[in-house]
Amino acid sequence: SSVTETIDPRATVTTDAGTAGLKTMISSAVFGVGNANNYDVSYEDGSFVITPRDLTLYAGSKTRIYGTENSTAVYTGGTTKFRTDAATATTGLVNGDTVADVTESTNALVTSNVGTSGLKTQITNMRLMGNRKASNYNITYVDGGFDITKRDLYITAGDKERAFGAENATAQYVNGTQRINVRPSDATTGLANGDAVSSITETIDPMATVTADAGTSGLWTRASAAQFSQGTDANYNILYVDGRFAIVPREVLVTAGNVTRDYGEPNPVVTEYVIERGDRTSWRGLLAGDEVSGIRSYYDAAITPTTQGGSYPGVIHIDPASVTAGYTGASAISNYRFRYAPGKLTIQMRGFDMSTPEGRAVITSTGSVTQVTTGLTGAAANRVLGSIGEIRGGGDTNAGASTGNGSGAAAQTVVSATAKQERSFADGVTIQMPQDAAPTNWANRVVVMNGSTPEAHDFVEHKDGSFGFDLGRTRGDRGFRPEDPAHNTSEAIPVLFTDGGSRDLDGIYTVNYSPEKLAIKPSSKKVDIPDPKEIRNTSAQALSFLYQTANGSFEVTFGNGIVTLYPQDEPALSIITAKERKAERAVLASGLLTAIEDLGVTPVEIRAVYIFNVLDGKSEETTA
């Protein structure tokens, strides 16, 4: 009726689940009916199994900011990485077992949007403290939640400014800002995942009217309604920051007038000036209804009646005090910032004597030339007078030279000269003064009169055989202008002397022309030389020429690619036939300059230059 059961003593409360070899044993059978002695009783052991205990682990719920790594997520709702239920008789941790750690993961990506459903925190691979075995438990893992929150995004409106009186539409961004200014990203704020803002709505403070004064404080610009070209605004908590709006004074340029006076005259009062005007669409200029009158100007202190002739830009200045005093208008003057541009004074010289010491002026008239010299006596005065006679073209000269004792007393001499109008400089001609201010006596000046204003040029020669004119010294350095001719350099132009039939090569030259210089340099290139019979005179220009004691008249023509110089009188012919080449080269340079500047020829059009060594060269050409 009963037996005595014994459980394997190895099966203790701490014996691990699944331990092999455990058994149950029975003995001492008791018969309820019959006698046990009648039986030879044998006992067989049973098995004893320890099964895993149920254990439920719960993952913690987490949250992080959009665009951040999952490792930055934090637990929410009071949860931790994991938790377990309290132990019961058959579930939960027993025997002092403690969970050391679990493996945690999530299905959220760094690019997952705010509000994405189905995101979760998962745990697996529970590990117990010490050498306790997780296999003693039948573990159930319960997922936690995972939420993504919006990322802070700061957008600042651009700082803008405009001029007083201008419409707000003309305002420009300043201080390195632009229409959209997104604060740079850091770990938890700013644009992420390649997101980009494409536009915003910009509003300007309604107090910034066209009549608001320059310097009005507290004006703002405001951004709103950001639109994304990449990403979505749903991932961001957008914080808009106002920019600043500034109204600055309008720039107004007041330009002094230009005036002209004769040498020796006092500086005239400048009554002309130009005030820059503007309207609501611009930042510059005086607005309608605001006026300035009674503006005064003044000259540089160095400009006196004895200032040498020439053009003096920048020596006439506006008096700022007169602008302030003369301002009237409905707008405050503080709404304007006046700037000033100087004017130009031109001092006219009525003649120029190439032999006058220090470049002093001479005054020419129809019947006579009056030369005023200071500190010159005897032979020195005679040299001056002789030079005047040469300028006048070789007319009769009566010189009454005064003599002195060398003490520096002034001497005045009147010279009568009859000019040859067609062969020399006409009476009353004004020769353009050199631009350089230094009162130097150029030893190599060449005076040229053709179709343009007579000019005195500096003739230069160099050791490499090149020669030409320093035009910049006479005219000032103008720089290249769009109207200057193209193709202004020719690599090889032959220059020849001819009587209309024969030809004698002077040389082959490179010719370069610019507003600052005319440079002629020997060239070693081979060229085809046209025959004198190919000369055609399709355009012509008279040329009067003076170089030191050499002077004369020429005619410069161009046609069929040939520039031709015809001497018109004996002095001109003597320059061509003389052995002294310097004057002849000065004639060549003058002829080329005339062809280029007055006949409109560019150097690359020139096939050759012919210089006639006989008078009436064109007549011989016609009969050839």
Side-chain angles (χ1 to χ4, degrees):
S1 60
S2 66
V3 293
T4 300
E5 182 183 61
T6 305
I7 295 176
D8 195 326
R10 294 175 298 168
T12 66
V13 70
T14 60
T15 301
D16 293 326
T19 299
L22 298 180
K23 55 188 177 180
T24 58
M25 298 170 287
I26 56 175
S27 62
S28 305
V30 177
F31 285 78
V33 177
N35 187 346
N37 293 324
N38 292 327
Y39 296 92
D40 183 12
V41 181
S42 61
Y43 299 95
E44 290 184 5
D45 295 338
S47 61
F48 191 88
V49 178
I50 301 175
T51 59
R53 187 180 181 90
D54 287 342
L55 175 64
T56 302
L57 290 179
Y58 299 88
S61 294
K62 304 186 80 173
T63 183
R64 66 164 172 81
I65 297 171
Y66 167 75
T68 59
E69 297 292 338
N70 288 331
S71 59
T72 65
V74 296
Y75 296 100
T76 61
T79 64
T80 57
K81 189 173 185 179
F82 59 87
R83 68 178 178 83
T84 63
D85 290 330
T88 66
T90 59
T91 64
L93 294 168
V94 292
N95 296 327
D97 288 346
T98 302
V99 178
D101 201 1
V102 294
T103 299
E104 182 184 66
S105 63
T106 179
N107 61 345
L109 303 176
V110 70
T111 57
S112 296
N113 291 323
V114 173
T116 300
S117 61
L119 299 181
K120 54 190 175 182
T121 306
Q122 299 168 301
I123 55 174
T124 58
N125 191 27
M126 181 202 74
R127 281 128 15 229
L128 295 175
M129 298 287 289
N131 59 357
R132 303 299 179 90
K133 296 180 179 179
S135 57
N136 288 326
Y137 296 93
N138 180 30
I139 304 171
T140 300
Y141 296 100
V142 179
D143 295 337
F146 196 96
D147 292 325
I148 297 175
T149 59
K150 291 185 177 183
R151 187 180 183 95
D152 285 346
L153 175 64
Y154 294 87
I155 299 178
T156 303
D159 294 340
K160 302 186 82 171
E161 74 175 23
R162 64 161 171 82
F164 163 75
E167 296 171 351
N168 287 339
T170 68
Q172 298 177 354
Y173 294 101
V174 294
N175 302 326
T177 65
Q178 53 191 348
R179 183 180 179 88
I180 302 172
N181 303 275
V182 178
R183 183 184 296 181
S185 300
D186 56 26
T188 58
T189 67
L191 292 169
N193 296 327
D195 294 346
V197 176
S198 58
S199 67
I200 53 98
T201 297
E202 183 183 70
T203 306
I204 294 176
D205 194 329
M207 298 300 293
T209 64
V210 291
T211 58
D213 288 330
T216 299
S217 62
L219 301 179
W220 46 258
T221 59
R222 185 163 294 164
S224 61
Q227 300 294 314
F228 284 71
S229 59
Q230 181 70 32
T232 173
D233 61 348
N235 288 325
Y236 295 93
N237 177 34
I238 303 177
L239 305 170
Y240 295 100
V241 181
D242 288 347
R244 289 172 292 181
F245 191 86
I247 300 175
V248 298
R250 292 180 75 89
E251 297 274 347
V252 179
L253 181 65
V254 182
T255 304
N258 300 326
V259 296
T260 300
R261 68 165 173 84
D262 288 339
Y263 173 79
E265 297 294 327
N267 293 326
V269 175
V270 181
T271 58
E272 294 185 359
Y273 51 85
V274 176
I275 300 176
E276 184 181 15
R277 292 285 181 176
D279 56 25
R280 304 296 189 195
T281 64
S282 70
W283 284 36
R284 299 184 59 87
L286 205 63
L287 293 172
D290 296 334
E291 300 293 339
V292 180
S293 60
I295 295 177
R296 299 185 301 273
S297 299
Y298 63 93
Y299 292 85
D300 281 352
I303 302 299
T304 67
T306 59
T307 299
Q308 288 191 354
S311 178
Y312 294 88
V315 300
I316 303 174
H317 305 279
I318 296 292
D319 178 8
S322 69
V323 174
T324 302
Y327 175 79
T328 57
S331 308
I333 193 172
S334 58
N335 286 319
Y336 294 99
R337 182 180 293 115
F338 290 95
R339 304 295 188 193
Y340 306 100
K344 178 177 71 174
L345 171 65
T346 301
I347 301 176
Q348 296 185 133
M349 302 297 288
R350 293 171 294 169
F352 192 81
D353 180 1
M354 303 308 296
S355 298
T356 304
E358 302 303 316
R360 295 189 182 92
V362 298
I363 302 172
T364 65
S365 62
T366 302
S368 64
V369 178
T370 301
Q371 169 71 51
V372 180
T373 62
T374 302
L376 295 179
T377 60
N382 287 330
R383 284 198 300 273
V384 173
L385 300 173
S387 297
I388 296 173
E390 291 157 7
I391 291 180
R392 308 315 298 161
D396 295 332
T397 302
N398 296 319
S402 66
T403 59
N405 55 11
S407 62
Q412 178 171 315
T413 307
V414 177
V415 181
S416 175
T418 302
K420 296 181 180 180
Q421 299 293 331
E422 76 284 0
R423 296 176 182 270
S424 184
F425 295 103
D427 289 329
V429 164
T430 298
I431 298 174
Q432 182 170 316
M433 294 291 289
Q435 292 291 309
D436 59 341
T440 57
N441 182 26
W442 296 354
N444 293 313
R445 281 175 294 189
V446 173
V447 178
V448 176
M449 184 174 74
N450 41 40
S452 56
T453 303
E455 292 180 300
H457 298 308
D458 190 18
F459 181 72
V460 293
E461 289 184 303
H462 301 287
K463 293 181 179 180
D464 62 357
S466 62
F467 57 96
F469 288 145
D470 184 356
L471 303 176
R473 187 174 184 187
T474 304
R475 301 169 176 172
D477 291 335
R478 299 176 296 173
F480 187 82
R481 306 166 302 169
E483 63 268 29
D484 289 331
H487 313 300
N488 59 351
T489 300
S490 177
E491 296 295 331
I493 297 177
V495 176
L496 306 100
F497 296 99
T498 184
D499 57 5
S502 64
R503 54 185 176 180
D504 181 19
L505 180 66
D506 172 70
I508 299 173
Y509 299 93
T510 294
V511 176
N512 176 265
Y513 167 77
S514 75
E516 287 77 30
K517 68 177 181 178
L518 173 66
I520 304 169
K521 184 177 181 180
S523 172
S524 60
K525 292 183 178 293
K526 294 182 179 180
V527 294
D528 293 326
I529 299 177
D531 192 272
K533 294 180 180 180
E534 297 181 50
I535 294 174
R536 302 289 184 270
N537 300 325
T538 57
S539 59
Q541 176 65 57
L543 166 66
S544 294
F545 171 86
L546 171 66
Y547 174 68
Q548 294 181 345
T549 61
N551 68 89
S553 297
F554 296 83
E555 185 176 45
V556 181
T557 69
F558 179 75
N560 199 22
I562 301 173
V563 173
T564 308
L565 277 69
Y566 298 94
Q568 300 294 295
D569 52 22
E570 289 294 339
L573 182 61
S574 66
I575 297 174
I576 303 304
T577 57
K579 293 182 179 180
E580 204 280 323
R581 296 194 65 194
K582 193 169 186 178
E584 176 260 307
R585 287 189 166 185
V587 167
L588 172 60
S590 301
L592 283 171
L593 185 66
T594 300
I596 292 170
E597 294 192 340
D598 293 276
L599 300 183
V601 180
T602 57
V604 294
E605 295 177 270
I606 302 174
R607 298 166 56 205
V609 176
Y610 270 101
I611 303 174
F612 271 76
N613 52 18
V614 295
L615 292 176
D616 300 322
K618 285 193 287 185
S619 297
E620 292 185 24
E621 172 202 340
T622 302
T623 60

